[in-house]
Amino acid sequence: MNRQDRADAVDQEMAVHLLSEEALTALGHWWAKNKQTCPDGTPQTHAVAYTPARWAPTTPWPAGLAPASHAGDVHISRAEVTAMVADALQREAFREALVATYVWGKGKSGTPGGSGPFTLQKILAAENLLDAALAASVTALREQGAVDAYTVLHKAVPQFGPSFFTKFLYFAGQALPAVTGPQPLILDRVLSLRLRPLAAAVGRESGLDPDGTVAAWVWAEWDWTPHRYSVYLSFMHAAARQLAGTKAWPSGAAPDLLEYALFSGAWTATG
């Protein structure tokens, strides 16, 4: 059995076992502490801080964001980004939708000369290449589904990696009236590292990956393949259903509540 065969086998084991009891307990405790801030069972109130003036050269600048001349911090929620993206997609203003999702995704992290405004400028400079890729991904999301949309964007535009284009896809999925198949979810370094110990645990228990090297390979820290995104979506949607069947989690919660909880550190474990 080669490494890919072992990886596929570990994926199948994860699909059977889903979240561990430890993870279920931790997520239940997280919900008990956070349900007042997510009263509808969604993470749409989840807000991040950003400093508009740091993004001053960025165009197009969505009207829903604070003026780029504003030097102080401003908070922006998922719900506000969803509304901006919905408006932008109706006008086929794909770059505007991207800027809204990128600013939310980066917030105050990164540096002016590196990750953040500088990288976004490089992405936007792709112009026609970027416009075509974003438009094609939205069409694919509507007509074929999230994995096809991911495939369209994967390695399509320099500097525009999965950690940020899955944010674009996530908000597009929230904004569109309907998408084919499961709703897209954000996949970034933090979330990949949350899945790694689960994969490592089932790999040890099954004997398929006794030392965790396969788990570390498939749940790497960046540049996940479309296949890996498909595995991620399948796992997260199934795990959300598993959680919804417990008394400790809202029964009607969508998978993005689980994504937010994992990102927030509701459960962490070492491989």
Side-chain angles (χ1 to χ4, degrees):
M1 184 180 286
N2 63 30
R3 185 168 68 164
Q4 185 58 60
D5 290 337
R6 290 166 61 206
D8 292 342
V10 170
D11 289 340
Q12 291 172 6
E13 288 292 318
M14 280 188 69
V16 171
H17 292 280
L18 297 176
L19 295 168
S20 65
E21 287 300 322
E22 177 191 6
L24 290 172
T25 299
L27 287 160
H29 289 159
W30 178 90
W31 175 245
K33 294 177 181 177
N34 289 274
K35 60 185 175 183
Q36 299 302 320
T37 60
C38 303
D40 60 352
T42 78
Q44 289 298 302
T45 59
H46 170 212
V48 300
Y50 70 105
T51 308
R54 289 186 67 235
W55 303 82
T58 304
T59 56
W61 188 250
L65 295 175
S69 59
H70 187 86
D73 292 348
V74 181
H75 283 80
I76 182 171
S77 69
R78 292 195 189 207
E80 290 169 320
V81 176
T82 297
M84 280 185 264
V85 171
D87 174 68
L89 293 186
Q90 286 180 345
R91 295 180 283 110
E92 297 188 348
F94 300 111
R95 288 196 200 192
E96 195 173 309
L98 167 60
V99 170
T101 64
Y102 202 100
V103 170
W104 176 87
K106 181 55 67 174
K108 293 185 66 178
S109 62
T111 62
S115 172
F118 182 72
T119 301
L120 179 57
Q121 289 298 324
K122 290 170 125 181
I123 295 168
L124 292 171
E127 297 184 347
N128 293 341
L129 179 65
L130 176 64
D131 293 338
L134 294 176
S137 72
V138 172
T139 298
L141 184 57
R142 283 195 189 104
E143 298 178 0
Q144 285 88 43
V147 176
D148 286 86
Y150 185 102
T151 303
V152 168
L153 290 176
H154 188 238
K155 299 184 184 297
V157 179
Q159 306 290 319
F160 193 27
S163 288
F164 282 91
F165 72 63
T166 58
K167 292 176 175 68
F168 174 83
L169 293 177
Y170 166 72
F171 283 107
Q174 293 291 308
L176 291 171
V179 301
T180 299
Q183 284 283 333
L185 297 170
I186 297 167
L187 174 58
D188 60 15
R189 175 181 179 274
V190 172
L191 289 158
S192 185
L193 293 179
R194 297 288 189 259
L195 275 289
R196 186 186 294 180
L198 284 172
V202 299
R204 282 194 306 270
E205 292 164 7
S206 64
L208 293 164
D209 182 26
D211 60 0
T213 55
V214 169
W217 175 53
V218 298
W219 297 107
E221 298 186 23
W222 64 289
D223 197 28
W224 308 278
T225 64
H227 170 70
R228 185 54 32 196
Y229 189 61
S230 175
V231 170
Y232 172 72
L233 287 185
S234 295
F235 177 86
M236 292 291 283
H237 280 259
R241 291 191 294 271
Q242 176 193 18
L243 266 169
T246 71
K247 294 180 180 179
W249 198 256
S251 60
D256 59 345
L257 184 64
L258 172 59
E259 169 257 298
Y260 173 46
L262 289 176
F263 179 85
S264 300
W267 173 77
T268 59
T270 58

